[in-house]
Structures are given as C-alpha cells and as structure tokens.
Amino acid sequence: MSHPKLKDFRRIVVKVGSSLLIDSAAGQVKENWLKALAADIAALHQDGKDVLVVSSGSIALGRSRLKLPAGTLKLEESQAAAAVGQIALARIWSEVLGTHGIGAGQILVTLQDTEERRRYLNARSTITKLLEWRAVPVINENDTVATNEIRYGDNDRLAARVATMTSSDLLILLSDIDGLYDAPPGANPNAKMIPIVEAVTADIEAMAGAAESELSRGGMRTKIEAAKIATSAGTHMLIASGKIEHPLRAIAEGGKCTWFLTPANPITARKRWIAGSLEPKGTLVIDAGAVNALYAGRSLLPAGVIRVDGVFARGDAVIVRGPDGHEIGRGLVAYDTENAEKIKGRSSSDAAQILGVSARTEMIHRDDLVVAGARGGDTGK
Ligand code: GLU
C-alpha cells in the first residue's frame, strides 16, 4: 500500500519536540536547525498550504535560562519554568518565520479549550482567522496555568487535537526517532521500522513501549495516542526524524518515516475540509447541464458557468449554485474573479486561448469540489 504525498495536503500541523529545538547543554534554542525548519515551513506556506506549528520547549528552555539543576521538576516549578521559556520561545518563532515574511501568532491552549465546546469553537475561530490572514499559528499548552489533573502534559496528543479541531488533513510529529519500530531500536539491532500503519491495532500499541527522555514528555506511547485521535477524525499522521536539517523537505522528497493512515482517503478528508471549514468568497451560478455533470461526479467546466459573483482569488472557496439559485456544492475555484468572468460560458479550448495555452481547463476540478448530497457520483478518486 502506498502513502499519500506531502503535496496532496492542504492544511498541515507540524509538531516540534523539545529535544529537537533545545540544546540543553548550551541552554539555547538550536538556531540553525530552527532556521532550516522555518525555511521548510515557508516553502509549504508559499505553496498555498496552511501550516500550523505545535511547538514544545517552554519548560526545557525556561529551565536552561534559569539554570535549574537536572532532575524532575515539581508542578509549580515546571509552570514557572514555562513562564520564562514560553516568552523566549514565542520570540524565536516570530523571528525565524518573520525572516520569510510570515507572521507568527502565539496560541496557548489548555485541555478545556479543546474539550469544552464553547471554548473549542472560540480557539478554533481564532486559529482559522490567523490562517485566513496567512499567518502561522504557533501553539503550545498553556503550561503556566495547566495543572496536573487538567493538562495534556504532552504535545503529541495536544497536536492531534489541534489537527482535528482545525480539520487539518495531515499531522507531522517531528521527533528524535524516525518512525515506529517493531521493537525498541536502541536495545534491538534487528528492529524494523514500519513505514505504513493502516490501523492502530493492539499489536501496534504494544510496539510503543513507554520511552520518555528528560526533555520531552511524550514517548512513542503518546504518539500512538495521537495517531488514534488524528486518524479517527480523518487526519493522516506521520512520525519523522527532526534530527536532520530540513526535516520537512526530507519528507517531501520521500525520506524515511512512519505514516499512520486515516481510513478516509485524502481526497475525502480534503473534501470534508472544503465542505466544512472555509468561508466562501464568491458564487458561481451554473446551467442545468453543468448541474447534471456535477451530480455525475465530473468537474465544473467554464462552459457551464452562467454568472460569477463575489471577489475571489485562485484557490478560494466558492459556492456553486444551480440556475434556480439552489446550492449544488462548494469548491476551490481555479481562476480569480477577473479570469472567471472572461471565460464563463466559453468552451474549454476558447478558455485556453483567452487565458493562454497553459490555462487549466476546469473552473473547479472534481477533486476540489464537494457536491451537496451527490447522487452517487463521488468515487473519491
Ligand atoms: N508543553 C511542554 C513544553 O512546551 C512540552 C510538552 C511535551 O514535551 O510534549 O515544554
């Protein structure tokens, strides 16, 4: 079974673990590594993807800055360390993303923010607004106020909740290990890495063990928990090594990692995302022939478009309405308003001529289209 490609995804949560980010001996953030990661994030962002970062490191960074001795911290000590570390962490993210002209927005969440519906909706709308503004949300648990009983404690599960809350279609856990092994790789030289996990079964859970390092709270166990949260909500997940420079580029180039696949294929997950979590920027009114084509699972061609309303850019979500104004579906339009106006009602070959030979012929490609109550036409291809 093959896995999807990074380029297939529209909204990606990247979780960065403390041990990757912080050089505990030097008590500093690993700046060069972080700069390389920021360049990878900027490349995805430039590609039109929404990127969210879940960054650990507040406690680790705080403890280095405060020169606290090694060993386990009491709850109030880690809360206080997080207060010092988080302020530094936020500044660093803001700087490295700022170099690429990307605004970073700090979001600190507690368990209740993801579990209580009202707070959940509130956090979600703030994050969605940031994404709409093309900023990159940088999220962590609000460790200074989260107490033992009511905290995630690990950012693996937090990242999974953030991913499902924002209808992200991929969660990437960057870790100090490059994937899931069938036995602990340190102790067992014959341990094999598992490239694709199609379902988190009891066998898979048994492979997780319980490893934790001093810096990061989550071992493989919390990553498997994260996989359960993510994949049951239609989000794919992968675990990859963050120990190399440009870890996201490595994934895009097919580098080693473990994929946890959600049963919903990426198109379906993406379609759910198109249907549910975008503010449409305009409307295309289409003729009866096009309505039938859409119900049969085909793309929307320029010829079927009667009217173009609203102001949208290429890739924006629009509502598609029938000649009587009835909503047929929603999709990501392939042209901006001006070009859509120019080619509406024209044959695909006319459209290509009007806009230049390289123009794609669909107004909305079927993969980018969700037809409300489609009559069996959606094969998910
Ligand atoms: N929220 C914690 C921090 O920023 C990290 C938890 C984890 O390592 O997963 O320090």
Side-chain angles (χ1 to χ4, degrees), residues 15 18 55-60 140-141 143 153-156 215-218:
K15 184 257 173 180
S18 302
S55 177
S56 305
S58 71
I59 298 173
N140 196 358
E141 184 160 20
D143 292 308
D154 67 88
N155 277 359
D156 296 324
L215 279 184
S216 49
R217 304 194 126 256

Side-chain angles (χ1 to χ4, degrees), residues 68-140:
L68 303 179
T72 315
L73 296 177
K74 295 203 197 87
L75 177 63
E76 66 274 18
E77 290 171 340
S78 39
Q79 289 179 314
V84 172
Q86 183 60 40
I87 207 167
L89 194 60
R91 173 172 170 197
I92 287 159
W93 275 109
S94 167
E95 274 174 17
V96 294
L97 291 172
T99 315
H100 298 277
I102 299 171
Q106 175 180 254
I107 310 268
L108 298 179
V109 293
T110 58
L111 189 66
Q112 296 99 308
D113 292 322
T114 61
E115 304 304 290
E116 281 172 30
R117 180 118 188 105
R118 188 180 52 82
R119 295 171 65 161
Y120 171 97
L121 292 175
N122 189 32
R124 190 176 70 172
S125 63
T126 307
I127 295 173
T128 310
K129 184 54 80 180
L130 282 172
L131 293 172
E132 197 185 304
W133 287 342
R134 301 299 290 142
V136 168
V138 178
I139 302 158
N140 196 358

Side-chain angles (χ1 to χ4, degrees), residues 276-348:
S277 50
L278 294 176
E279 280 173 43
K281 295 283 193 298
T283 304
L284 302 178
V285 181
I286 65 175
D287 64 22
V291 171
N292 285 334
L294 261 50
Y295 280 138
R298 292 203 284 274
S299 296
L300 175 62
L301 300 178
V305 178
I306 309 168
R307 215 177 70 214
V308 176
D309 291 326
V311 179
F312 48 82
R314 176 181 148 78
D316 277 346
V318 294
I319 300 181
V320 179
R321 293 189 190 283
D324 59 355
H326 179 68
E327 178 168 338
I328 307 298
R330 292 172 182 221
L332 305 180
V333 64
Y335 299 97
D336 61 17
T337 319
E338 197 185 328
N339 285 336
E341 275 292 355
K342 281 189 198 153
I343 61 171
K344 71 171 189 214
R346 310 294 287 259
S347 72
S348 294

Side-chain angles (χ1 to χ4, degrees), residues 2-20:
S2 66
H3 58 71
K5 303 271 182 300
L6 209 54
K7 64 173 175 42
D8 298 335
F9 296 97
R10 314 277 309 184
R11 183 171 284 183
I12 303 175
V13 176
V14 180
K15 184 257 173 180
V16 184
S18 302
S19 57
L20 298 176

